[in-house]
């Protein structure tokens, strides 16, 4: 009986002893050291800024067209007997060059006939003048009174004078028609289209071809209402313009001037067109630097507009949707500044006021910013981490302090 009791109570004794040991060991364990949780400070990229005077530029685009373009038509009829070698598509010519010649034999005959008619009229006039003098002498030999105009043959004299003027006019017309058998260039330019060939009979107003002037090129640039706030088209002075395009795989640039605006708001696109002129686009006047600005080419344009003083220019992404900018104060805290924006384009934002001189502008992303948010800058000095030996010394000091407390 007693042995069975001992066998049954042994496990209970073992459990009690284990529980007591566990309690004793747990009471001897030291509580873990409590350390304050350190919140990491956000690293921010920030840049200083300066206010400068800015000349605003307006970006637009357009096609290059000639200032003058002409459809060649003859003023007289005839057969084409000669064509200039430069009268081909793409050919260049100078002012006054003969591009085509028409058969002129009939017109030369007309000139001779007009010359003969003029000579006959002049002879008749001289004869009538002599008759008038004879009539006056005969009248005065018979009567002492003033002779009448009919007696002096003045009406006949006026008729012969009119005949002379008519003959002179016919001769001038015949000479003009003879000169018109040569189709000359009204300006220096290039041939765009040729619609006639040698031996072809043409009448007046026949389309012989089309030519462009090459002394000045024009570009029509559309400007929106917001663009007009930075470009003064009615100031009475020209505005410099830089035209650019990619030609033969390389970027090229040309200089021009806004000389006028068309002055009418387009009803469909709601824009005003400014006209830019570029002198000598095909480099025909001796200047060979750069590439020619060809007609029909599409170019980008940057118009130099109005000037503004004390403007801060920042990257476009620094402006938030609510019109504010994140600034970093000297205390390394975020400050949300409401700024006055003069203009904003795809690359930059132009600010006139709202930032403090001691501020720096945050150019990197700041999630969930608020006023007074602590930050650190990449330019701030970094505190050195403790070396291994220093860390061992600190651990030893902590262990000695713990033992003293125990």
């Amino acid at each position: 009986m007693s042995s069975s009791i001992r066998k049954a109570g042994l496990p209970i004794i073992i459990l009690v002893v284990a529980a007591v040991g566990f309690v004793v060991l747990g009471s001897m364990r030291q509580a873990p050291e409590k350390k304050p949780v350190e919140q990491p400070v956000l690293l921010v990229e920030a840049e200083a800024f300066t206010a400068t005077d800015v000349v605003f530029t307006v970006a637009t685009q357009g096609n290059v067209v000639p200032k003058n373009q002409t459809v060649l038509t003859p003023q007289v009829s005839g057969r084409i007997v000669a064509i200039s070698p430069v009268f081909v598509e793409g050919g260049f010519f100078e002012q006054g060059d003969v591009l085509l010649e028409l058969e002129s034999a009939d017109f030369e005959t007309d000139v001779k006939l007009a010359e003969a008619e003029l000579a006959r009229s002049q002879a008749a006039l001289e004869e009538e003048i002599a008759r008038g003098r004879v009539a006056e002498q005969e009248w005065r030999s018979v009567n002492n009174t003033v002779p009448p105009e009919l007696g002096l043959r003045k009406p006949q004299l006026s008729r012969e004078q009119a005949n002379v003027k008519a003959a002179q006019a016919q001769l001038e017309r015949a000479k003009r028609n003879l000169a018109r058998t040569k189709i000359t260039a009204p300006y220096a330019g290039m041939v765009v289209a040729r619609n006639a060939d040698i031996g072809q009979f043409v009448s007046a107003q026949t389309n012989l071809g089309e030519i462009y002037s090459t002394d000045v090129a024009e570009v029509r640039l559309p400007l929106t209402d917001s663009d007009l706030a930075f470009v003064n088209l009615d100031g009475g002075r020209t505005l410099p313009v830089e035209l650019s395009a990619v030609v033969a795989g390389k970027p090229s640039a040309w200089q021009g001037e806004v000389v006028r605006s068309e002055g009418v708001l387009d009803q469909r696109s709601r824009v005003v067109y400014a006209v830019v002129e570029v002198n000598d686009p095909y480099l025909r006047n001796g200047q060979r630097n750069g590439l020619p600005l060809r007609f029909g080419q599409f170019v980008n344009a940057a118009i130099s507009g109005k000037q503004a003083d004390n403007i801060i220019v920042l990257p476009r992404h620094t402006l938030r949707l609510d019109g504010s900018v994140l600034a970093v104060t000297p205390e390394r805290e975020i400050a949300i500044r409401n700024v006055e924006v003069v203009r904003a384009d795809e690359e930059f934002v132009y600010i006139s006021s709202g930032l403090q001189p001691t501020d720096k502008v945050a150019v990197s992303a700041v999630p969930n910013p608020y006023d007074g948010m602590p930050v650190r800058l990449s330019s701030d000095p970094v505190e050195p981490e403790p070396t291994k030996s220093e860390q061992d010394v600190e651990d030893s000091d902590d262990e000695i302090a713990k033992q003293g407390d125990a």
Side-chain angles (χ1 to χ4, degrees):
M1 183 72 180
S2 60
S3 76
S4 61
I5 295 174
R6 285 196 301 268
K7 291 180 181 179
L10 184 60
I12 297 174
I13 295 172
I14 294 173
L15 292 175
V16 171
V17 172
V20 172
F22 180 78
V23 172
V24 172
L25 292 176
S27 62
M28 296 176 60
R29 186 180 60 180
Q30 296 182 355
E33 183 181 359
K34 295 183 179 180
K35 295 183 179 180
V37 179
E38 296 182 0
Q39 295 291 339
V41 180
L42 182 65
L43 179 63
V44 174
E45 293 288 339
E47 295 180 357
F49 58 86
T50 55
T52 59
D53 297 339
V54 176
V55 176
F56 291 112
T57 59
V58 175
T60 180
Q61 60 282 319
N63 287 316
V64 182
V65 296
K67 185 175 183 179
N68 300 300
Q69 47 187 341
T70 306
V71 175
L72 290 179
T73 56
Q75 293 179 278
V76 295
S77 302
R79 184 172 59 88
I80 299 176
V81 296
I83 294 180
S84 172
V86 300
F87 191 65
V88 292
E89 294 182 358
F92 291 93
F93 53 83
E94 298 296 334
Q95 183 177 7
D97 287 353
V98 178
L99 303 179
L100 299 97
E101 290 188 36
L102 304 181
E103 189 176 15
S104 61
D106 293 340
F107 298 99
E108 292 174 354
T109 301
D110 292 340
V111 170
K112 293 179 181 180
L113 291 175
E115 289 175 346
E117 180 63 23
L118 177 59
R120 188 194 65 78
S121 299
Q122 289 176 341
L125 176 61
E126 293 176 359
E127 182 180 356
E128 191 58 42
I129 292 174
R131 288 180 179 179
R133 292 174 180 174
V134 172
E136 183 179 4
Q137 292 176 0
E138 291 179 351
W139 180 272
R140 294 187 180 279
S141 64
V142 177
N143 299 306
N144 293 328
T145 59
V146 177
E149 292 185 356
L150 185 60
L152 297 179
R153 301 183 63 85
K154 288 187 177 181
Q156 292 85 343
L157 178 63
S158 298
R159 180 188 62 198
E160 296 302 330
Q161 290 174 341
N163 290 337
V164 170
K165 291 182 179 180
Q168 290 175 342
Q170 291 178 358
L171 177 59
E172 292 175 358
R173 176 181 294 177
K175 289 181 178 180
R176 285 197 302 267
N177 289 337
L178 178 60
R180 288 167 179 167
T181 59
K182 295 182 178 181
I183 312 299
T184 59
Y187 43 70
M190 64 180 296
V191 180
V192 180
R194 169 177 160 178
N195 302 324
D197 210 338
I198 192 167
Q200 179 180 349
F201 182 86
V202 295
S203 59
Q205 306 304 319
T206 299
N207 187 343
L208 302 177
E210 188 174 4
I211 59 175
Y212 288 171
S213 64
T214 55
D215 54 344
V216 177
E218 290 186 345
V219 184
R220 295 175 70 240
L221 300 178
L223 298 176
T224 62
D225 184 70
S226 59
D227 293 334
L228 295 178
F230 304 98
V231 177
N232 187 9
L233 296 180
D234 301 323
R237 62 184 183 90
T238 58
L239 301 175
V241 180
E242 181 177 348
L243 305 176
S244 60
V246 177
V247 180
K250 297 181 180 180
S252 301
W254 303 268
Q255 298 298 322
E257 292 181 340
V258 175
V259 296
R260 69 181 188 279
S261 69
E262 296 186 355
V264 178
L265 188 67
D266 190 272
Q267 295 182 356
R268 293 175 296 177
S269 58
R270 311 306 298 172
V271 297
V272 174
Y273 285 94
V275 179
V276 175
E277 288 189 355
V278 180
N279 294 322
D280 192 21
Y282 279 82
L283 309 178
R284 300 186 61 192
N285 296 333
Q287 181 182 358
R288 294 301 174 188
N289 296 329
L291 296 175
L293 180 61
R294 303 182 186 278
F295 298 138
Q297 188 170 353
F298 185 83
V299 294
N300 297 315
I303 305 175
S304 298
K306 298 179 180 179
Q307 178 176 332
D309 300 331
N310 298 323
I311 298 297
I312 300 171
V313 183
L314 299 177
R316 180 66 176 84
H317 70 272
T318 59
L319 182 66
R320 306 173 72 203
L321 296 178
D322 59 355
S324 62
V325 172
L326 296 182
V328 179
T329 65
E331 292 76 19
R332 299 300 186 261
E333 293 180 349
I334 289 293
I336 301 177
R337 306 292 192 192
N338 293 319
V339 295
E340 183 176 352
V341 179
V342 178
R343 188 188 181 196
D345 54 28
E346 295 180 355
E347 297 183 2
F348 302 103
V349 57
Y350 304 87
I351 298 173
S352 61
S353 62
L355 292 174
Q356 301 298 326
T358 56
D359 288 342
K360 290 186 176 181
V361 177
V363 296
S364 61
V366 180
N368 302 321
Y370 57 89
D371 281 321
M373 177 180 178
V375 295
R376 60 189 179 92
L377 304 181
S378 59
S379 59
D380 293 341
V382 179
E383 295 183 0
E385 295 182 357
T387 61
K388 185 175 181 181
S389 59
E390 293 175 349
Q391 186 65 39
D392 294 341
V393 172
E394 292 179 359
D395 293 342
S396 299
D397 293 341
D398 293 342
E399 185 66 25
I400 293 173
K402 291 178 182 179
Q403 292 178 357
D405 294 339

